[in-house]
C-alpha cells in the first residue's frame, strides 16, 4: 500500500512539475551570442545606462552631503566642548587667584590664551571647510575640491589636538599648585 502511494505521488510530481519547469526556462530571454541587436534596442540600452549613471551620481551627492553634515556636526560639538572647558578653567583660575594672593598664574594664563586663539582660528577654518564641503557636489572636478577639503580637515584636526594638549598642560599646572587644604 505504501509503495503504491509513493509511486503515485512521484508520478504525479513528475507529470505536474515538468511543464512548470519547462515554462520557467522559456521565460528567460537572453540574446544568444552572435545575434545582432538592432539600433533601437541599442539606444534604449545606452539611455538606460545614462539613467543609471545619473542615479548613481545623485546617490553619491546625497552620500557626500550626509557625510559632510555628520562631519561638521562632530567638529562643531568638539569646538563647543573645548570652549566650555576653557571657560571652566578660566573660572577655576579666578577662584584660585581670589583665594591665594601668593599664587602667580602668568604662565598658565598665557597657555590658556594660546589655546583660545587657536580655537578661534579653528572656528574660522571650520567655517571655510563647511563652504568647501557644500561646494563638492556642484564642482566641475570634485576630486580636486575633496583633496582641498581633506587637507584643511587634517589641519583642523591637528589644531584641535594642539588646543587639547595646551588645555591638558594648563590643567596639570593648576593641579600642581596644591592650593587649599591638603
Amino acid at each position: 500500500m505504501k509503495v503504491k502511494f509513493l509511486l503515485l505521488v512521484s508520478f504525479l510530481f513528475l507529470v505536474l512539475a515538468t511543464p512548470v519547469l519547462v515554462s520557467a526556462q522559456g521565460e528567460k530571454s537572453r540574446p544568444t551570442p552572435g545575434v545582432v541587436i538592432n539600433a533601437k534596442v541599442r539606444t534604449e540600452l545606452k539611455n538606460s545606462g545614462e539613467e543609471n549613471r545619473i542615479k548613481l551620481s545623485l546617490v553619491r551627492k546625497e552620500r557626500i552631503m550626509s557625510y559632510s553634515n555628520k562631519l561638521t556636526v562632530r567638529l562643531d560639538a568638539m569646538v563647543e566642548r573645548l570652549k566650555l572647558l576653557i571657560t571652566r578653567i578660566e573660572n577655576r583660575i579666578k577662584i584660585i587667584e581670589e583665594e591665594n594672593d601668593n599664587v602667580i598664574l602668568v604662565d598658565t594664563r598665557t597657555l590658556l590664551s594660546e589655546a583660545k586663539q587657536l580655537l578661534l582660528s579653528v572656528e574660522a577654518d571650520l567655517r571655510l571647510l563647511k563652504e568647501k564641503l557644500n561646494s563638492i557636489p556642484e564642482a566641475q572636478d570634485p576630486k580636486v575640491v575633496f583633496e582641498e577639503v581633506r587637507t584643511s580637515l587634517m589641519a583642523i584636526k591637528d589644531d584641535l589636538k594642539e588646543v587639547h594638549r595646551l588645555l591638558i598642560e594648563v590643567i596639570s599646572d593648576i593641579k600642581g599648585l596644591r592650593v587649599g587644604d591638603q
Side-chain angles (χ1 to χ4, degrees), residues 47-63:
N47 289 340
S48 68
E50 283 295 316
E51 288 177 18
N52 288 338
R53 283 191 210 116
I54 291 171
K55 287 178 186 176
L56 281 176
S57 69
L58 291 175
V59 168
R60 285 182 186 148
K61 286 180 183 180
E62 184 179 320
R63 286 182 182 165

Side-chain angles (χ1 to χ4, degrees), residues 8-56:
L8 180 64
V9 169
S10 61
F11 177 73
L12 286 174
F13 177 74
L14 287 174
V15 170
L16 296 175
T18 305
V20 173
L21 292 174
V22 170
S23 67
Q25 289 177 354
E27 290 176 7
K28 296 178 184 175
S29 59
R30 292 184 183 166
T32 58
V35 174
V36 178
I37 299 174
N38 63 14
K40 184 177 180 181
V41 173
R42 184 173 287 135
T43 57
E44 288 177 11
L45 288 175
K46 285 184 181 178
N47 289 340
S48 68
E50 283 295 316
E51 288 177 18
N52 288 338
R53 283 191 210 116
I54 291 171
K55 287 178 186 176
L56 281 176

Side-chain angles (χ1 to χ4, degrees), residues 9-137:
V9 169
S10 61
F11 177 73
L12 286 174
F13 177 74
L14 287 174
V15 170
L16 296 175
T18 305
V20 173
L21 292 174
V22 170
S23 67
Q25 289 177 354
E27 290 176 7
K28 296 178 184 175
S29 59
R30 292 184 183 166
T32 58
V35 174
V36 178
I37 299 174
N38 63 14
K40 184 177 180 181
V41 173
R42 184 173 287 135
T43 57
E44 288 177 11
L45 288 175
K46 285 184 181 178
N47 289 340
S48 68
E50 283 295 316
E51 288 177 18
N52 288 338
R53 283 191 210 116
I54 291 171
K55 287 178 186 176
L56 281 176
S57 69
L58 291 175
V59 168
R60 285 182 186 148
K61 286 180 183 180
E62 184 179 320
R63 286 182 182 165
I64 289 170
M65 292 307 293
S66 173
Y67 174 75
S68 64
N69 289 337
K70 288 178 185 177
L71 180 71
T72 56
V73 165
R74 288 178 184 165
L75 289 174
D76 284 337
M78 174 70 99
V79 168
E80 290 302 316
R81 284 192 300 268
L82 289 174
K83 278 184 178 179
L84 179 64
L85 189 58
I86 286 174
T87 56
R88 286 181 179 176
I89 291 172
E90 285 176 337
N91 291 337
R92 185 65 187 157
I93 288 174
K94 286 179 188 176
I95 290 171
I96 290 173
E97 286 179 342
E98 289 172 359
E99 288 179 357
N100 245 340
D101 293 334
N102 299 337
V103 176
I104 300 172
L105 297 173
V106 176
D107 295 335
T108 307
R109 284 195 178 275
T110 306
L111 288 175
L112 192 61
S113 66
E114 285 179 34
K116 283 174 78 173
Q117 290 301 319
L118 195 55
L119 193 60
L120 289 174
S121 169
V122 166
E123 285 181 321
D125 292 343
L126 190 58
R127 274 186 248 116
L128 292 174
L129 178 73
K130 287 178 186 179
E131 291 173 8
K132 286 180 185 178
L133 283 173
N134 290 332
S135 69
I136 287 177

Side-chain angles (χ1 to χ4, degrees), residues 155-169:
I156 289 172
K157 182 180 166 185
D158 291 340
D159 288 346
L160 286 173
K161 285 181 180 179
E162 180 65 20
V163 168
H164 189 260
R165 188 193 64 76
L166 288 172
L167 292 179
I168 288 174
E169 193 172 334

